[in-house]
């Protein structure tokens, strides 16, 4: 069995990503943003098949509170791993790769928003060193599985200081 490869998505990846994970419009939009320097879509592949992704938003946050209190802090968004591949370290590897990339780009902090009832994701992020920003939850918008629509969620914001040991 091949090793897991984590790399920025390429335009030709949209078909495979959409087939495995759905959300063709989401992936097309994130790749367009990546092409404009507004973010980076990191993808995880094994044996030539997509296993997951995370988007690094480099432009200002959509949420006014995050934009105000965390200016110039990139956001990890849309972390997902195929259901049959969860709990195998792929999400952790995607996050650590994202942190290393952001550190190499000279960012010192990273933030993310996690839906308040998503206990499993919160546990993962806290295990990886993310901490509450000590402010109220915010309303975030998340992509629905169809990749065309977004819905509001109440989210806790977590932050982490990046250092050379990422």
């Amino acid at each position: 069995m091949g090793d897991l490869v984590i790399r920025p998505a390429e335009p030709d990846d949209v078909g495979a990503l959409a087939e495995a994970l759905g959300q063709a419009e989401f992936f097309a939009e994130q790749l367009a943003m990546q092409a404009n320097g507004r973010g980076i879509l990191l993808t995880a592949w094994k044996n030539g098949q997509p296993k997951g992704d995370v988007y690094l938003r480099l432009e200002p946050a959509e949420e006014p509170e995050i934009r105000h209190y965390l200016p110039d802090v990139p956001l990890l968004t849309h972390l997902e791993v195929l259901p049959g591949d969860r709990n195998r370290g792929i999400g952790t590897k995607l996050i650590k790769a994202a942190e290393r990339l952001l550190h190499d780009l000279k960012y010192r902090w990273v933030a993310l928003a996690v839906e308040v009832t998503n206990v499993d994701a919160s546990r993962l992020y806290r295990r990886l060193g993310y901490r509450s920003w000590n402010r109220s939850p915010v309303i975030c918008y998340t992509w629905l599985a169809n990749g065309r629509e977004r819905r509001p969620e109440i989210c806790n914001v977590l932050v982490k200081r990046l250092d050379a040991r990422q």
Side-chain angles (χ1 to χ4, degrees):
M1 196 171 252
D3 291 329
L4 187 72
V5 174
I6 296 177
R7 62 170 174 76
E10 300 169 359
D12 291 344
D13 293 336
V14 171
L17 290 167
E19 185 176 327
L21 298 158
Q23 312 166 71
E25 290 183 28
F26 165 79
F27 288 116
E29 180 176 320
Q30 301 322 97
L31 277 165
M33 291 170 68
Q34 178 175 284
N36 291 326
R38 296 165 52 197
I40 302 166
L41 178 61
L42 280 184
T43 54
W45 299 79
K46 191 162 189 166
N47 298 324
Q49 297 299 311
K51 298 297 180 178
D53 66 273
V54 66
Y55 183 70
L56 313 178
R57 184 182 177 97
L58 303 177
E59 65 185 334
E62 292 177 298
E63 301 81 6
E65 304 92 335
I66 298 174
R67 216 173 29 249
H68 177 77
Y69 290 110
L70 298 173
D72 303 318
V73 173
L75 296 171
L76 294 185
T77 67
H78 197 81
L79 174 68
E80 65 178 332
V81 174
L82 283 172
D85 291 299
R86 292 181 184 153
N87 299 312
R88 295 183 181 171
I90 295 172
T92 296
K93 288 177 182 173
L94 277 163
I95 293 167
K96 289 186 178 210
E99 291 171 355
R100 280 191 302 276
L101 180 56
L102 291 170
H103 181 269
D104 291 348
L105 292 171
K106 307 297 185 215
Y107 289 100
R108 293 296 164 242
W109 289 91
V110 62
L112 57 86
V114 60
E115 204 271 328
V116 295
T117 63
N118 192 341
V119 177
D120 291 337
S122 293
R123 187 179 315 116
L124 169 65
Y125 298 135
R126 290 185 189 282
R127 180 173 55 80
L128 294 174
Y130 288 80
R131 299 294 174 251
S132 173
W133 75 335
N134 294 319
R135 299 194 184 286
S136 299
V138 300
I139 296 174
C140 298
Y141 290 87
T142 188
W143 287 89
L144 298 177
N146 66 22
R148 284 184 238 98
E149 302 171 74
R150 296 177 353 137
R151 71 171 154 81
E153 294 181 332
I154 306 290
C155 295
N156 290 318
V157 177
L158 305 176
V159 295
K160 181 177 180 180
R161 179 155 176 81
L162 301 173
D163 62 37
R165 294 171 291 168
Q166 302 300 326

